[in-house]
């Protein structure tokens, strides 16, 4: 079945710097890759997603890139702010697995003012 | 629009007791998911419903966990009997349809098994 790995597990950056989180997936048939943000004690919320027919997607300060050949995708946050501090989860889903969404283990991002 | 509702928000039980969680998805959402999130880990899918049919329950410990979605709307997840390792947050989520669509999560139920 699908396996999603995520690195790093923790990340600290200075306010204003960029943050990059990388994920790899195992199922070459995966076609949908969402990223969720979970603040402490809150529910996960979608921040951006990308489909397998697109290599890059950007939304204001966040962007996601996808390399299907290497089976990895990354989240880029620019001009980080303290409110970006949270746990970020990447995920992957595949039509061969009934679109089941498999989450990575998460990256705890701390933005230091 | 109203979000995904879950109850109770917190539950403390002793091992070997039973517990049930309830979820009401966003109106019109055909797909409903139950996840188990252990502290410090990502959500782990337990069961996925499409309307009132089970799409995937491969990671549901069927000897103790059961779930149903009556009439394709509300859903309940039951644990009987509970074990210490069941302590986690149980998240319910729904999406318009399955396959590449945003999942909307409920607030979760924090279960502590003592």
């Amino acid at each position: 079945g699908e396996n999603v790995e995520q690195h790093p597990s923790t990340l600290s950056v200075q306010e204003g710097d960029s943050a990059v989180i990388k994920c790899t997936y195992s199922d070459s048939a995966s076609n949908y890759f969402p990223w969720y943000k979970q603040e402490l004690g809150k529910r996960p919320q979608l921040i951006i997603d990308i489909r397998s027919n697109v290599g890059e997607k950007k939304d204001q300060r966040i962007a996601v890139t996808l390399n299907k050949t290497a089976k990895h995708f990354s989240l880029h946050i620019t001009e980080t702010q303290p409110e970006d501090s949270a746990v970020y989860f990447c995920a992957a889903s595949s039509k061969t697995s009934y679109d089941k969404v498999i989450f990575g283990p998460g990256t705890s991002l701390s933005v230091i003012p | 629009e109203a979000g995904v509702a879950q109850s109770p928000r917190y539950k403390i039980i002793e091992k070997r007791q039973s517990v049930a969680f309830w979820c009401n998805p966003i109106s019109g959402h055909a797909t409903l998911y139950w996840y188990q999130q252990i502290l410090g880990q990502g959500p782990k899918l337990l069961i996925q419903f499409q309307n009132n049919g089970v799409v995937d329950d491969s990671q549901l410990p069927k000897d103790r966990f059961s779930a149903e979605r009556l009439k394709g709307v509300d859903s309940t997840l039951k644990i009987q009997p509970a074990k210490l390792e069941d302590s986690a947050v149980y998240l319910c989520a729904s999406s318009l349809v399955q396959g590449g669509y945003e999942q909307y999560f409920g607030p979760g139920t924090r279960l502590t098994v003592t």
Side-chain angles (χ1 to χ4, degrees), chain A residues 32 36 38 41 43-46 49 51 89 93 95 97-106, chain B residues 4 35 37 40-43 45 48 55-56 58-59 91 98-103 105-107:
Chain A
Y32 176 64
Y36 284 82
Q38 187 173 31
R43 69 194 78 184
Q45 290 192 300
L46 181 76
D49 56 11
R51 301 179 192 280
F89 295 99
S93 75
K95 289 223 169 282
S97 301
Y98 304 103
D99 298 306
K100 181 168 64 177
V101 176
I102 303 299
F103 283 82
Chain B
V4 176
Y35 291 92
Q37 187 174 28
Q41 298 182 19
L45 181 68
Q48 176 175 333
V55 173
D56 186 284
S58 58
Q59 297 195 87
L91 292 163
Q98 68 183 34
Y101 290 88
E102 179 176 0
Q103 293 187 26
F105 285 83

